[in-house]
Amino acid sequence: MSVGYPLTLRRLIESLSKIPGIGEKSATRIALFLLSKPEFCETLGDLIKELPYKVRLCKFCRNLSEEEICKICNDDTREAKSLCIVENPVNLFHIENTGIYKGYYFVLHYLLSPKDGIGPKEIEMDKLLSLIRKRGVEEVIFALSPTLGGEATISYILQVLKDYPIKVSRLACGVPMGMDLQFVDPLTLKRALLARELLKEQ
Amino acid sequence: MSVGYPLTLRRLIESLSKIPGIGEKSATRIALFLLSKPEFCETLGDLIKELPYKVRLCKFCRNLSEEEICKICNDDTREAKSLCIVENPVNLFHIENTGIYKGYYFVLHYLLSPKDGIGPKEIEMDKLLSLIRKRGVEEVIFALSPTLGGEATISYILQVLKDYPIKVSRLACGVPMGMDLQFVDPLTLKRALLARELLKEQ
């Protein structure tokens, strides 16, 4: 499709097409838009080039950070006894935005998935364990997606933590707010029934 | 949504969101993908930064080019007597890909649209007229979309060309190949009827 374009444009379209979710058509549209905005190209190009140098993983929780230690880990007013385990920074900020959770986090970046070559080594348990010791954590909360990978990861970490005197919990599984019951899958419905909330005793 | 991310990441997400068709969610997804690919960031950043310096408009036809004169205008084997007027480079390459047209092109980059401030000046008629003289053009072919802007632009240029001894034509308007007649709008159907192809005489 982009055969007739000048070389630089073709190379840009090819590069943009490598980003997941961007096909050749979108890449062409983006490249032609950029072509009409020279100053924007300068800013955007610089931002993309400096990104890997400026953003790294926090030494403690492995969240994204521009400093060695991220803002959350640096905030002494948070509750040190709670540690929430999340899969990635997107989910971390999703939980932060609820405003409900005041403890610290640990970001796994991977869920166990033997078929993708993701084993216990990728999850960096040593960093998790040293953070638990450092903070004197009393409760570990799993905030992982209730998927195959999430369940496998919870099982594995639970096994590692079995001799630690800490409470371990996970997000409740149930019917999402506003969802029509007919669209809820049987497994979720089963778990929502087993974990039913008591509204009135007898 | 991206409030909690490090500043550089937030600025990148904000920049990417300015590209038409990319919302904050896609921008976040792209930025996080880039974060995991440092070498790709280097290449992509460079390509974006050099784009406006490397790609310009051909002196003759105003197509995109890395040289002063584009490859098509530099190709002496093409038919100088035909000039095809297109709206943009995308449509130019679309026509090139049919392999049917062997003449030269002129790229308008705009269609007349008084409400968007696009008047005759933006269309650079002087460049079109000097190209027609230079090539000794005998037929001008309008390959513009049959939209309001396209029709207005054809009318205007036709008016300008009225004293030139040149044939002027436009793409046939009719039913697209493979389309069910029930989905063809009445205006297209009307034009397809008026421009009907003769299959057998009497």
Side-chain angles (χ1 to χ4, degrees):
Chain A
M1 182 184 153
S2 63
V3 173
Y5 292 121
L7 183 66
T8 310
L9 199 61
R10 259 175 12 235
R11 285 181 55 211
L12 176 59
I13 292 170
E14 206 177 282
S15 268
L16 288 169
S17 308
K18 287 184 186 150
I19 298 174
I22 298 188
E24 199 185 344
K25 258 195 169 160
S26 307
T28 307
R29 196 178 38 72
I30 294 171
L32 290 171
F33 167 80
L34 290 173
L35 197 53
S36 67
K37 300 267 180 291
E39 282 167 37
F40 182 65
C41 285
E42 189 69 28
T43 317
L44 182 62
D46 278 336
L47 279 170
I48 290 175
K49 289 185 72 174
E50 72 187 23
L51 182 69
Y53 300 98
K54 288 227 175 160
V55 180
R56 49 183 158 172
L57 298 186
C58 167
K59 180 178 143 180
F60 292 140
C61 73
R62 308 191 76 228
N63 185 17
L64 303 175
S65 174
E66 294 201 17
E67 315 297 331
E68 196 185 5
I69 300 169
C70 78
K71 279 188 192 137
I72 294 177
C73 284
N74 246 335
D75 179 355
D76 291 337
T77 68
R78 299 185 75 110
E79 292 166 12
K81 64 183 202 301
S82 288
L83 189 74
C84 181
I85 298 183
V86 294
E87 181 185 348
N88 53 42
V90 178
N91 291 350
L92 186 156
F93 293 118
H94 211 35
I95 291 169
E96 273 297 279
N97 287 338
T98 66
I100 278 280
Y101 180 70
K102 300 295 181 199
Y104 293 97
Y105 292 93
F106 185 78
V107 184
L108 297 174
H109 291 280
Y110 300 100
L111 293 181
L112 281 187
S113 175
K115 76 171 172 49
D116 300 316
I118 310 292
K121 200 163 58 77
E122 281 68 29
I123 284 179
E124 308 227 33
M125 286 302 294
D126 50 337
K127 288 207 171 119
L128 173 62
L129 294 176
S130 76
L131 186 60
I132 286 174
R133 277 188 294 264
K134 176 185 138 59
R135 295 255 182 239
V137 167
E138 293 172 13
E139 181 175 8
V140 162
I141 302 168
F142 285 106
L144 303 180
S145 308
T147 58
L148 216 65
E151 299 296 312
T153 308
I154 291 177
S155 294
Y156 168 69
I157 301 180
L158 204 54
Q159 184 62 28
V160 175
L161 295 180
K162 82 175 182 309
D163 296 327
Y164 284 72
I166 23 180
K167 197 165 131 186
V168 180
S169 61
R170 60 181 290 170
L171 292 185
C173 183
V175 181
M177 289 295 292
M179 187 184 245
D180 193 315
L181 265 199
Q182 66 175 314
F183 301 123
V184 175
D185 67 288
L187 202 61
T188 302
L189 204 53
K190 186 178 152 196
R191 292 186 58 162
L193 263 170
L194 290 173
R196 63 194 177 276
E197 279 176 66
L198 189 65
L199 296 178
K200 174 186 169 301
E201 211 147 349
Q202 287 207 324
Chain B
M1 186 184 152
S2 63
V3 173
Y5 292 123
L7 183 67
T8 308
L9 197 63
R10 264 182 359 242
R11 286 180 55 211
L12 177 59
I13 292 170
E14 207 178 281
S15 269
L16 289 168
S17 307
K18 286 184 185 150
I19 300 173
I22 297 188
E24 200 186 343
K25 257 194 169 161
S26 307
T28 306
R29 197 178 37 72
I30 294 170
L32 290 171
F33 167 80
L34 291 173
L35 195 54
S36 67
K37 299 267 181 291
E39 281 166 38
F40 182 65
C41 284
E42 189 70 26
T43 318
L44 181 63
D46 277 336
L47 280 169
I48 291 176
K49 289 186 73 171
E50 73 186 26
L51 181 70
Y53 300 98
K54 288 227 174 158
V55 180
R56 47 183 161 175
L57 297 185
C58 167
K59 178 178 145 180
F60 293 140
C61 73
R62 308 192 74 229
N63 185 17
L64 301 175
S65 173
E66 294 202 17
E67 314 297 332
E68 196 184 3
I69 299 168
C70 78
K71 279 188 192 139
I72 294 177
C73 284
N74 246 336
D75 178 357
D76 291 337
T77 69
R78 299 185 74 111
E79 293 165 9
K81 64 182 203 304
S82 289
L83 188 73
C84 181
I85 298 183
V86 293
E87 180 186 349
N88 53 42
V90 178
N91 290 349
L92 188 156
F93 293 118
H94 211 36
I95 291 169
E96 272 298 281
N97 287 340
T98 66
I100 279 278
Y101 180 71
K102 299 293 180 204
Y104 294 96
Y105 291 92
F106 185 78
V107 184
L108 298 174
H109 291 281
Y110 300 100
L111 294 180
L112 280 188
S113 175
K115 75 170 172 55
D116 301 316
I118 310 293
K121 201 163 56 77
E122 280 68 30
I123 284 178
E124 307 226 33
M125 285 303 294
D126 51 334
K127 289 206 170 121
L128 173 63
L129 294 175
S130 78
L131 187 60
I132 286 174
R133 278 189 294 265
K134 176 185 138 60
R135 295 253 182 241
V137 168
E138 293 174 12
E139 180 176 10
V140 163
I141 302 168
F142 285 105
L144 304 180
S145 308
T147 56
L148 215 65
E151 300 296 314
T153 308
I154 291 176
S155 296
Y156 169 71
I157 300 179
L158 204 54
Q159 185 62 25
V160 176
L161 295 179
K162 82 178 185 308
D163 296 327
Y164 286 70
I166 23 179
K167 195 166 132 187
V168 181
S169 60
R170 59 179 291 169
L171 291 184
C173 182
V175 181
M177 290 293 291
M179 189 186 247
D180 193 316
L181 265 199
Q182 67 174 313
F183 301 122
V184 176
D185 65 289
L187 202 62
T188 302
L189 203 54
K190 186 178 151 194
R191 292 187 59 164
L193 263 168
L194 290 172
R196 62 193 177 277
E197 279 177 66
L198 190 65
L199 296 179
K200 175 185 170 300
E201 213 148 351
Q202 286 205 327

